[in-house]
Amino acid sequence: MHDDISLTTGRAKRVLTERIMPAIYSASTPLTVGVHELPGEPIPPAEGLELSFEPYTPGTPWGPAWGTTWFRVEAQIPEGWRGRKVEALIDLGFDVNMTGFQCEALVYRPDGTPVKSLNPRNQWVPVTQDAAGGEQVTLFLEAASNPVLLDYHPFLPTQEGDILTAAKDRLYRTRRMDLVVFEPEVFDLSLDLEVLLELQAELPETSPRRMRILQALDDALDVLDLQHIAETAGAARAQLAEVLAAPAEASAHRVAAIGHAHIDSAWLWPVRETIRKVARTASSMTTLIEEQPDFLYGMSSAQQYEWLKLHRPEVYARVRDAVKAGRFLPLGGMWVESDTVMPTGESLVRQFSYGQRFFAEEFGIRSRGVWLPDSFGYSPALPQLMRRAGFEWFFTQKISWNQANTFPHHTFLWEGIDGSRMFTHFPPMDTYNSQLSGMELGKATRQFKENRVATSSIAPVGWGDGGGGTTREMTGRAQRLANLEGSATVEWKHPDVFFEEAKAELAYPAVWVGELYLELHRGTLTSQHGTKSGNRHSEQALIEAELWAATAAVREGFSYPAAELDRLWKLLLLHQFHDILPGTSIAWVHREAVAVFAEIVAGARRIAEQARAALAGAGDQELVFAPTSISGHAASSEAVPLGASPVPAAPEAATLRPEDGGFRLENELVSVLISAEGLIVSAVDRTSGREAIPAGRPANLFQLHQDFPNMWDAWDIDKYYRNRVEDLTDVAGLRAEVVDGVATVVIERVFSESQLEQTITLAPGSRTVLLRNAIDWQETEKLLKLAFPLDIFATHTDAETQFGYQSRVTHVNTSWEAAKFETSMHRFVLIREDGFGVALVNDSIYGYDTSRDATEKEGVTTTVRLSLLRAPRFPDPETDQGEHVITVGLVIGADPETATAAGIALGAPNTVVRGAHAVAPLVRVDGEGLVVSAVKLADDGSGDVVVRVYEALGRRARGTVTADFEHRGVQTVTLLEDPIDGRQSPNQPVELQLTPFEVRTLRFIR
């Protein structure tokens, strides 16, 4: 039996690949080709069409790395092709195994109409369905010679990832540039055979269905004349008609297909190339929509639509028409498919608000679900934010990449840190680039975890990253698989419809509580520190700019710079894309990202400076502007939250004295001993007398690890990195002094190929020992950690996430816990036992790890290590080489309130301005645990004031929000600023009752 199967399938596969597929094109004539290689950056298509062209011979090398070459191809359709379907077939030198990662082109007609893209899996261009014979054909190709960086061994360091260092050699050689006759019947035969071959491979060996398919394959091949494929294809198809018409079983799994092309907004190419990838793909997909009446295509990321609008209006016009027809579906409701672990809560709010605002203004719709197939793990704050932005469902696929543990659900409710739940689906075929292959459909059927109670799953269908999206081969498979015995059924379906049906049939879905941790790509919390630091500072600069600009607009008639704020926010949101902020793009991308973040910070600070000047007036009085609602968070404890007040009198200075070869730093709250090696050997809370550092286990210990993961250099940290570590205890210099009342110790270290200068400070009245680390990092494949062993019996850590914190156990009882050997935080991680805690705060890092040690004498201690810098070599061979400044703080005697305040203080320091008078805050928030996240003017330009408040401590809270300006009432609104309830009375404090980690947005109507 097995031999018979092998003979039939082997015969069918050979005939298909060696005879039938080549016969899809039955006649050809060469195109006459002209070429124009641009010397610099791309030009608008209208200019490309007007270029002068030199004669070009196919087979000649073309295209240096990151270059643009325009081709003009021309031919006259032969008279003998009358009535035939004619296409152009153009191979620019493609490798079909590298779809989306090499050269590509967008084809234009002479009038500037975009046709479709050219790429390895899509080398044809429609010319005419019914040739008259003798007509002239002219097409223009805007071809991009992007270098192949991933390659078959994807992790070799390369300088090709930046136009500044890439070689100038021509990379590609065209293979074929012809006008051809397309044979529809042969094409259909190829799809018939392909679908049946893949289906039978998924069926039991002796099943009747498989046997009948194999017999039909033999019968079809028996009537096919291999020397006259086109003439006999119809007869061969007739032999397959019966098995292709057999309907699916009533119990067959149902696949909701949606055309898709996951296009990374930057990755192994710069942003400017993504703009063109989007244009190429959208052109192909609108063309396919015109040709396939049932086909639906979905594209996420409002940013990508805006790129089309700004840079390729001729493509955008076609997209708008297809959206209006309900065929081209805006998905996801976000500005980009962002990382969701590292952005602040405000950034995620703006991802939603800017994305949904664009879709509403341009298309009159809002997305009902969040579409994030490829981000590197998902924050437990996300369910609440999605719900408060009005979303109904969430889709991802990435968790199927887990290294150790298989996620137990495909359709389920995801519960976040505040208890909010979001209906969620993972596709069981484990891909967001489905080809609708028999293997994928079989996998979806077998793996679907909810098979007992549900019947359907999603398949995002198409090649991504410039691969052109869905192909006509895929739509042909979908047509054959719509109702086919032995297979899951396939239907093009809007994801909204799928989720409605899934909710209806799954009355009691399982619940997953907490973060969706990806057991992979843990290094993304640390790679490219310059990008991460720029992101953190940009976020805070924009929030401050909005605060002071809104305050000045209401108080002083200051012109609120809404357009400039929108521009800066959009730049920030773009660079939070899940291959930019995580540090996994080429050098070109991160070089530009650092520059863009600097532009954002400068622009936002300029707005804030102008607004503060308008508020303070002209004068010589020193005023402290406090940009947060946390009172007493800095040395100037008398600063008015969200307002400005005179600089207070200087407090009593901290003290510094030599001790045991090192120095002791003290103020009224804490006492810290720095050893001769520059390590923290004692940290005492003077109020309780509690020592935070275990005997013989000094903190502030830099540790250098070898860091060479099995795969994905910039992405991964593998657990065996811990097996090799060097403690950096050698001191090249040690000095100390008291400066302006602040006790200061400076330590210099030289290690490996690098050096650092650490400045340790203790300010009066502060529980936080600040450690400013200026590091000249020159390592290769190394990881730098900063370790803090703590004399604390901690069963869990509390790490800040958006609008709250997430708790993680410190033990590793299960494989799920063991897999979390590198985890995320925002501004703080808190380590505590009953009655005492220590927090570690930071200004620009996101990764940490935790371990516990126990001895009979010392008991249990908890060590937390902050991840400072990495040095992977792919895709950027010089990742983070150079100088970095990373500030962390050791908060002695901390609880959630102290940790939250200290983390906010480090990232949002007060600003001293000379002016005429103090400035009362625009709004005042009273209530323990209540934190103001944003004060801004409303997105709709009405001048209303929007205030966002959240509960930060993980418990129920009561309080008030009082507006210090005349208003006509206040409404609770969504994150998109839509009203939730009726208007409350004007000019009265708003009473709040918040549940743990709840986010509340108020709109004061002016």
Side-chain angles (χ1 to χ4, degrees), residues 528-593:
Q528 296 287 1
H529 175 260
T531 297
K532 290 174 169 60
S533 177
N535 173 73
R536 182 78 68 85
H537 290 99
S538 294
E539 289 175 319
Q540 182 56 39
L542 282 170
I543 291 169
E544 289 190 32
E546 288 179 334
L547 165 67
W548 300 128
T551 304
V554 174
R555 289 278 168 68
E556 305 294 337
F558 179 78
S559 179
Y560 189 78
E564 176 65 359
L565 286 168
D566 280 352
R567 185 184 74 85
L568 296 174
W569 268 113
K570 287 178 180 179
L571 283 174
L572 173 61
L573 299 178
L574 166 60
H575 288 84
Q576 291 177 336
F577 177 74
H578 67 251
D579 272 312
I580 302 180
L581 181 53
T584 52
S585 292
I586 55 175
W588 189 349
V589 172
H590 290 289
R591 172 170 58 81
E592 290 188 336

Side-chain angles (χ1 to χ4, degrees), residues 207-217 219 242-243:
S207 71
R209 173 62 169 162
R210 188 177 194 185
M211 293 299 101
R212 289 185 175 88
I213 290 174
L214 291 170
Q215 185 60 51
L217 292 174
D219 293 343
E242 184 176 348
V243 291

Side-chain angles (χ1 to χ4, degrees), residues 324-614:
K324 185 176 181 180
R327 306 284 304 285
F328 197 113
L329 313 178
L331 296 177
M334 299 181 72
W335 191 249
V336 297
E337 290 184 12
S338 75
D339 181 84
T340 72
V341 174
M342 290 176 280
T344 62
E346 277 305 314
S347 290
L348 290 182
V349 170
R350 309 314 169 90
Q351 289 286 353
F352 296 146
S353 65
Y354 279 88
Q356 292 285 57
R357 193 199 316 175
F358 183 91
F359 289 158
E361 291 176 352
E362 291 294 314
F363 309 125
I365 62 174
R366 281 183 177 177
S367 298
R368 291 170 58 187
V370 174
W371 183 273
L372 281 176
D374 190 36
S375 295
F376 307 146
Y378 303 93
S379 161
L382 202 53
Q384 175 181 198
L385 301 186
M386 291 188 288
R387 291 197 66 84
R388 291 186 180 274
F391 293 103
E392 301 170 17
W393 54 260
F394 175 63
F395 173 87
T396 186
Q397 177 270 331
K398 199 68 173 185
I399 304 301
S400 70
W401 288 37
N402 276 2
Q403 285 179 320
N405 298 285
T406 300
F407 197 79
H409 314 296
H410 285 112
T411 306
F412 60 100
L413 290 174
W414 176 25
E415 182 177 305
I417 56 173
D418 74 313
S420 295
R421 292 180 174 182
M422 176 59 64
F423 196 80
T424 300
H425 178 72
F426 296 171
M429 61 174 58
D430 293 346
T431 182
Y432 49 80
N433 291 309
S434 172
Q435 312 306 299
L436 292 179
S437 69
M439 180 274 292
E440 291 168 342
L441 295 172
K443 188 176 185 179
T445 299
R446 291 188 300 272
Q447 290 198 156
F448 187 49
K449 302 294 186 183
E450 283 68 47
N451 263 329
R452 283 194 172 200
V453 290
T455 63
S456 60
S457 63
I458 284 181
V461 180
W463 298 104
D465 284 334
T470 316
T471 66
R472 62 184 176 186
E473 289 81 4
M474 297 171 197
T475 59
R477 290 189 198 115
Q479 184 179 17
R480 289 157 176 80
L481 294 164
N483 186 20
L484 184 60
E485 182 186 358
S487 171
T489 64
V490 175
E491 180 183 0
W492 297 111
K493 186 174 291 187
H494 195 305
D496 287 347
V497 177
F498 163 81
F499 276 95
E500 287 175 358
E501 295 173 350
K503 287 179 182 179
E505 70 176 3
L506 196 60
Y508 303 101
V511 179
W512 179 268
V513 178
E515 65 184 320
L516 292 173
Y517 179 90
L518 178 63
E519 296 175 3
L520 195 70
H521 296 354
R522 302 167 182 89
T524 59
L525 299 172
T526 306
S527 296
Q528 296 287 1
H529 175 260
T531 297
K532 290 174 169 60
S533 177
N535 173 73
R536 182 78 68 85
H537 290 99
S538 294
E539 289 175 319
Q540 182 56 39
L542 282 170
I543 291 169
E544 289 190 32
E546 288 179 334
L547 165 67
W548 300 128
T551 304
V554 174
R555 289 278 168 68
E556 305 294 337
F558 179 78
S559 179
Y560 189 78
E564 176 65 359
L565 286 168
D566 280 352
R567 185 184 74 85
L568 296 174
W569 268 113
K570 287 178 180 179
L571 283 174
L572 173 61
L573 299 178
L574 166 60
H575 288 84
Q576 291 177 336
F577 177 74
H578 67 251
D579 272 312
I580 302 180
L581 181 53
T584 52
S585 292
I586 55 175
W588 189 349
V589 172
H590 290 289
R591 172 170 58 81
E592 290 188 336
V594 169
V596 168
F597 285 131
E599 176 189 349
I600 295 168
V601 170
R605 288 178 177 172
R606 185 164 52 249
I607 292 170
E609 181 180 357
Q610 294 168 350
R612 286 192 297 258

